[in-house]
Amino acid sequence: MKNNQFLFFCSNFNSRGVSEVWNIFFMEFTKQNPDSLSHFMFVNESGLDNISAVSEFTIAQIAIEDKLKQTEISDDEYKKISKFVDKHFLGALRTQLDWNKLSVLNDKEYSFDNRIVHLVKFFMDYVSNNDIKVVCIDFVTTPTSLECRVLEKVCDEMNIKKLVSVQAAMYGRFEIFDNSKSISRVADGIFKNLLDSPMTKNELEKLDHFLETYKMRKKRFHGDFWLDKIENKSSHAKDSVKKIVKSFYNILTQKGSDKINIKHKELKEFLDKPYFVFLPNKKNNHRTYNASPFHSDYAALIKAISISLPVGYSLLIKDHPHHIRKKPNNNLIKAIMSTDNCHYLSLRTDYYDLLENAKGIFASSSTSSMECLMAKKHVIVFGSESWIFGTNLLAPVHRVSNLEKLPSIINNCISTPVEKDKINAYLFSLISSSSSIEKSDEESDFKSSQPDDKQKEYVHIVKMINNLIQ
């Protein structure tokens, strides 16, 4: 691995604590890869305030804003890169500009089309000119920035090895990704082997232990205790002032007049009736827009599901728990209230009780889709490359890329037993490709903020990078 050139990309290096985390990571990475050369790139120029945290370990630190202005591009290059943008549906990123204020693509001085072409050119030139062999995108934060998406596609086009978001939001080292929308190479190999050779008794016991401890942990920290914490969380003074100003502005402009009287339903009303479940992401969730841009309108999806359900079936919607404090998605609520077979459940509905009796669960490129597989249910995902499942046709999920096929997919879920063996193999491949499933005690299966545990976590991440290189 000597003399490998690495590019580490971080989307919010200016965030509190991020620079310290990178410092810990680079110490471990440098220890295991003393002869490798590392470049560090970040989006927001305010990250310059924290640059001392990584300057000791990297040969170059780049703030994209300055470099992007210096990027020159010919007319022929512009046309060629425009086709690249269209090919990878990167135009879908324009719908996210409104809530990505700090993105380099959100610059009123330049058009989005012009800016994204220059960003692609900058990434391509940098990777090529510096002979970058491996790109690691957003190690310690979720890849929320639009730049992450662009860099990922540049790596695909140039056949550059990449690791995207090495830490999933699954309360533990649930999976290491080498692509933000697909199962890792390591897990994919394990999964294919398990399809040919049934899982052993020992493997099934390990999986059952993980799933049971995961469920207990989820109930303990994501039940009423967590919802109470979210609901009562105090806001920063600046946020409170913004909220007051916005409310006053809405009153003056009469924008607050469309407030909806939400009617929550309780799960007990549906326990003796057949139902499907829809678990939408948070409004404007980056993962949905990146992985399933054509299926990011939850209101439209709910209407499509509603007219596809057989007579007598209901669709129960449990919104993302963060909406217990935030304003709900009004378009989603209106769509539910306009149909008689769709119902908006209380945010305090027990997650596992809800899944237990469901005929199937609809998920939109969210972590919930994995938890629904854990419950051994039919999982229906939207989009041809939905998040972790990618384009892998062997994954034990039902894909919806054409809404007109929804009725037949739903009927298939009703009439066909769940492929539990296949689901077990898929889950085991994900978990065993990380270190979590090998832990013997319950607490060590999950992510910890303790310094000693953090160090162990980074040792594992560096190991996964080294496995990718070999």
Side-chain angles (χ1 to χ4, degrees):
M1 290 193 301
K2 290 186 177 181
N3 297 322
N4 266 318
Q5 292 266 25
F6 287 83
L7 171 60
F8 295 94
F9 178 77
C10 182
S11 68
N12 63 342
F13 188 62
N14 58 307
S15 295
R16 182 175 58 188
V18 171
S19 58
E20 288 78 6
V21 175
W22 272 99
N23 184 275
I24 296 172
F25 167 76
F26 272 121
M27 288 177 65
E28 182 59 39
F29 179 79
T30 305
K31 188 192 325 180
Q32 293 197 31
N33 299 279
D35 298 316
S36 294
L37 303 176
S38 299
H39 301 243
F40 187 84
M41 190 181 292
F42 55 94
V43 177
N44 201 297
E45 285 192 16
S46 59
L48 287 167
D49 297 335
N50 293 328
I51 205 65
S52 60
V54 298
S55 59
E56 180 183 349
F57 306 105
T58 55
I59 62 172
Q61 303 88 33
I62 308 98
I64 290 179
E65 286 85 342
D66 283 342
K67 298 293 183 181
L68 200 57
K69 293 174 184 176
Q70 302 168 19
T71 301
E72 297 182 356
I73 185 168
S74 67
D75 290 342
D76 287 342
E77 285 177 316
Y78 194 98
K79 291 177 182 177
K80 184 179 179 181
I81 295 176
S82 294
K83 291 180 180 178
F84 167 87
V85 171
D86 294 340
K87 171 185 174 182
H88 293 289
F89 299 114
L90 290 176
L93 300 183
R94 72 176 77 240
T95 62
Q96 302 172 62
L97 294 177
D98 189 46
W99 61 92
N100 283 274
K101 301 295 185 185
L102 297 179
S103 171
V104 298
L105 298 177
N106 202 344
D107 191 321
K108 290 182 170 58
E109 186 178 347
Y110 305 94
S111 68
F112 170 83
D113 291 351
N114 184 57
R115 199 69 165 167
I116 195 168
V117 167
H118 278 77
L119 181 61
V120 171
K121 176 69 162 57
F122 164 66
F123 280 144
M124 286 181 167
D125 285 351
Y126 194 89
V127 168
S128 179
N129 294 341
N130 292 282
D131 195 26
I132 300 295
K133 296 292 192 299
V134 181
V135 175
C136 304
I137 302 175
D138 239 0
F139 256 18
V140 294
T141 57
T142 309
T144 56
S145 79
L146 309 186
E147 292 79 8
C148 290
R149 174 75 166 157
V150 176
L151 181 54
E152 178 193 352
K153 290 306 179 184
V154 167
C155 291
D156 289 341
E157 190 76 5
M158 300 179 72
N159 293 317
I160 302 296
K161 289 184 177 181
K162 67 184 185 301
L163 214 61
V164 181
S165 185
V166 303
Q167 189 169 289
M170 293 294 289
Y171 326 113
R173 294 182 297 276
F174 187 71
E175 167 55 346
I176 304 295
F177 301 102
D178 58 28
N179 184 295
S180 63
K181 297 184 292 137
S182 68
I183 186 172
S184 78
R185 293 183 180 93
V186 176
D188 188 47
I190 297 172
F191 179 52
K192 288 177 180 175
N193 288 334
L194 290 176
L195 291 180
D196 295 331
S197 303
M199 291 176 62
T200 65
K201 181 180 179 183
N202 183 46
E203 288 171 337
L204 286 170
E205 287 176 351
K206 282 185 177 181
L207 178 62
D208 289 342
H209 171 71
F210 176 88
L211 297 181
E212 199 55 42
T213 53
Y214 181 93
K215 183 176 180 179
M216 288 190 290
R217 181 80 170 188
K218 175 92 175 182
K219 277 182 170 289
R220 191 184 313 155
F221 291 104
H222 286 252
D224 288 339
F225 169 80
W226 187 52
L227 291 172
D228 289 340
K229 189 175 180 180
I230 294 175
E231 193 170 24
N232 299 321
K233 184 179 179 182
S234 58
S235 303
H236 292 295
K238 183 174 69 173
D239 294 333
S240 298
V241 171
K242 280 185 179 179
K243 190 174 180 180
I244 293 171
V245 171
K246 189 174 182 179
S247 297
F248 186 60
Y249 174 78
N250 286 339
I251 291 172
L252 292 177
T253 59
Q254 296 184 335
K255 284 190 175 181
S257 58
D258 62 342
K259 186 176 180 181
I260 300 174
N261 181 25
I262 302 174
K263 298 177 181 178
H264 293 101
K265 294 292 186 76
E266 297 299 329
L267 178 59
K268 60 184 179 182
E269 299 178 40
F270 304 94
L271 291 180
D272 58 347
K273 304 172 185 175
Y275 63 80
F276 281 75
V277 173
F278 180 43
L279 302 170
N281 265 333
K282 291 175 285 188
K283 183 181 179 181
N284 298 339
N285 179 271
H286 68 91
R287 190 183 296 119
T288 304
Y289 280 84
N290 287 346
S292 303
F294 298 105
H295 302 276
S296 54
D297 185 339
Y298 301 143
L301 294 182
I302 285 172
K303 290 178 180 178
I305 296 171
S306 172
I307 62 176
S308 302
L309 288 173
V311 173
Y313 280 78
S314 297
L315 179 67
L316 307 185
I317 297 93
K318 185 178 186 299
D319 215 341
H320 194 283
H322 283 185
H323 285 296
I324 199 167
R325 187 163 178 263
K326 296 180 179 180
K327 287 185 177 179
N329 184 337
N330 277 0
N331 289 336
L332 179 145
I333 301 296
K334 288 177 181 177
I336 295 171
M337 294 179 66
S338 67
T339 59
D340 63 352
N341 62 348
C342 298
H343 309 278
Y344 192 72
L345 294 179
S346 165
L347 287 165
R348 293 185 178 274
T349 302
D350 184 276
Y351 185 80
Y352 289 99
D353 288 347
L354 174 63
L355 300 187
E356 185 176 352
N357 294 310
K359 297 295 182 181
I361 298 99
F362 294 91
S364 184
S365 291
S366 69
T367 322
S368 299
S369 58
M370 293 307 304
E371 295 177 333
C372 296
L373 275 187
M374 291 180 183
K376 311 294 173 64
K377 293 291 181 177
H378 285 291
V379 178
I380 306 167
V381 294
F382 293 97
S384 58
E385 294 187 61
S386 53
W387 193 40
I388 186 174
F389 304 111
T391 55
N392 184 353
L393 298 179
L394 295 177
V397 294
H398 307 271
R399 300 174 187 278
V400 180
S401 53
N402 181 348
L403 293 179
E404 290 187 353
K405 294 183 178 180
L406 258 180
S408 61
I409 291 173
I410 290 172
N411 285 326
N412 186 34
C413 291
I414 294 172
S415 61
T416 308
V418 178
E419 295 181 289
K420 292 185 179 180
D421 290 344
K422 196 172 183 180
I423 290 176
N424 285 338
Y426 194 85
L427 292 174
F428 185 84
S429 69
L430 290 176
I431 302 166
S432 60
S433 63
S434 72
S435 61
S436 298
I437 202 165
E438 301 300 332
K439 302 293 183 181
S440 57
D441 62 291
E442 173 191 336
E443 291 301 318
S444 63
D445 272 339
F446 303 95
K447 179 180 172 182
S448 171
S449 59
Q450 298 301 314
D452 289 345
D453 291 333
K454 273 289 179 191
Q455 191 67 29
K456 294 176 184 177
E457 193 167 318
Y458 287 122
V459 169
H460 178 70
I461 290 173
V462 172
K463 178 182 175 183
M464 294 304 297
I465 294 176
N466 294 338
N467 289 339
L468 176 69
I469 300 167
Q470 293 170 357

